[in-house]
Amino acid sequence: MRKVEAAVEHVGVVTLPSGGLQVSYVDNSCQSLPPFLGENYGKTGTRLDASNNRLTSLVGLEAFPHLQELILDGNHLGNDLELCPLPYLHTLSLNKNLISDLGTLLPQIASSCPILRHLSLLANQVHPRSGLCAPDNSSHVHDDEENRRYRIWVVWNIPSLYFLDSLPVSKEERKESQQRGEFLRVVRPTVGVGVRATSVGGSHNTKPERGIKPADASSPFTPLSLEERDPADVRGSLVHCRDRYRGLRSEGNRFIFDKDL
């Protein structure tokens, strides 16, 4: 009983002008929503802020059927996130979680939140500008293109969106999402450290190599051969042929005029 009373003391409740309640339960290191939140504030709560906890699931959220805004920043929510039906939700913030794939999450959000207007996924691994996708700064040149493809693909999955992350959805993005948004999903290869067996000096040795991940045993296909060739085993061919340059189909002189000669 004392534990529940102590937890209740960490809840901030504010009555909104619309008559609903804004419920704040932040910085409490909980892995799921405590039952007393729904029991005490579920029927009248329209805005719930559960940021900076350790939430790994949203069990208990079904006790808030009238939610309009849901803030879940700074938690441990991942790709297996299950969202209950929230027919009145128009704002969902999932910044700084553990989301690395939106393939199943976005359709679920679209079906659970039919009137969603604002979605924010900043600082997740799936976000092109999270800083987690390219630790070596090698793909920053392509950030703008990846971000454009990401936004169009998200809008294609959730057509009701008017605001994504920190920017409104433009007319051009919405038009392109309708035309080819289905095909603009950004898929990144999994970068891992694999182990390849080699023979060194007659003994069997295992040598890890960066960027090589062991192939799936259930699939007979592999992108590259796992066999190593002797560097001295070089195979090639050299062919000598005679050719004359005739200038056909050449555009090298198209901008050189007679006065320049």
Side-chain angles (χ1 to χ4, degrees):
M1 186 66 180
R2 292 181 179 179
K3 185 176 181 179
V4 174
E5 292 177 353
V8 172
E9 292 179 356
H10 291 83
V11 180
V13 181
V14 177
T15 302
L16 300 173
S18 60
L21 294 182
Q22 172 181 307
V23 183
S24 300
Y25 190 71
V26 301
D27 295 317
N28 288 287
S29 301
C30 57
Q31 295 183 351
S32 61
L33 296 175
F36 76 86
L37 282 179
E39 295 172 359
N40 295 338
Y41 314 108
K43 294 182 179 179
T44 54
T46 57
R47 187 180 192 274
L48 175 61
D49 186 354
S51 301
N52 300 324
N53 288 292
R54 298 179 181 176
L55 296 179
T56 57
S57 71
L58 296 180
V59 175
L61 191 61
E62 62 277 2
F64 292 82
H66 304 292
L67 275 184
Q68 299 177 11
E69 299 180 47
L70 179 58
I71 313 299
L72 298 169
D73 300 344
N75 283 289
H76 295 173
L77 299 171
N79 302 329
D80 57 348
L81 173 65
E82 295 185 3
L83 198 62
C84 64
L86 297 170
Y88 304 103
L89 194 73
H90 59 71
T91 300
L92 175 61
S93 183
L94 292 167
N95 299 327
K96 201 176 180 181
N97 276 278
L98 304 178
I99 301 173
S100 60
D101 183 26
L102 296 176
T104 57
L105 181 59
L106 289 182
Q108 183 186 168
I109 293 176
S111 61
S112 299
C113 313
I115 65 169
L116 191 67
R117 297 290 185 267
H118 186 167
L119 174 65
S120 188
L121 297 166
L122 295 170
N124 280 282
Q125 186 177 354
V126 73
H127 197 280
R129 294 179 175 174
S130 65
L132 301 176
C133 301
D136 56 352
N137 297 325
S138 60
S139 65
H140 286 352
V141 177
H142 308 289
D143 277 356
D144 291 340
E145 175 63 16
E146 285 197 14
N147 188 64
R148 184 187 70 84
R149 293 169 62 96
Y150 151 81
R151 289 180 60 85
I152 293 172
W153 188 66
V154 172
V155 174
W156 176 79
N157 278 275
I158 311 178
S160 61
L161 284 183
Y162 280 86
F163 213 94
L164 176 59
D165 298 329
S166 58
L167 295 173
V169 177
S170 65
K171 294 181 180 179
E172 292 76 13
E173 290 174 334
R174 191 172 301 282
K175 181 178 179 180
E176 189 169 1
S177 70
Q178 296 171 352
Q179 294 175 344
R180 58 193 188 105
E182 180 180 3
F183 310 104
L184 293 184
R185 179 180 179 182
V186 178
V187 180
R188 299 181 181 84
T190 302
V191 179
V193 177
V195 177
R196 177 183 295 178
T198 60
S199 296
V200 180
S203 62
H204 193 71
N205 185 28
T206 57
K207 180 175 64 176
E209 295 191 2
R210 288 187 177 181
I212 300 177
K213 189 175 182 179
D216 186 0
S218 62
S219 174
F221 304 104
T222 58
L224 297 174
S225 174
L226 297 180
E227 298 180 358
E228 289 188 349
R229 287 177 55 183
D230 186 355
D233 182 13
V234 179
R235 301 175 184 177
S237 61
L238 178 63
V239 178
H240 178 74
C241 62
R242 179 178 295 180
D243 190 15
R244 294 181 62 186
Y245 175 70
R246 301 178 183 275
L248 299 178
R249 297 180 296 276
S250 174
E251 299 184 5
N253 299 328
R254 63 182 298 186
F255 299 112
I256 300 178
F257 300 96
D258 293 340
K259 64 180 180 178
D260 298 326
L261 299 177

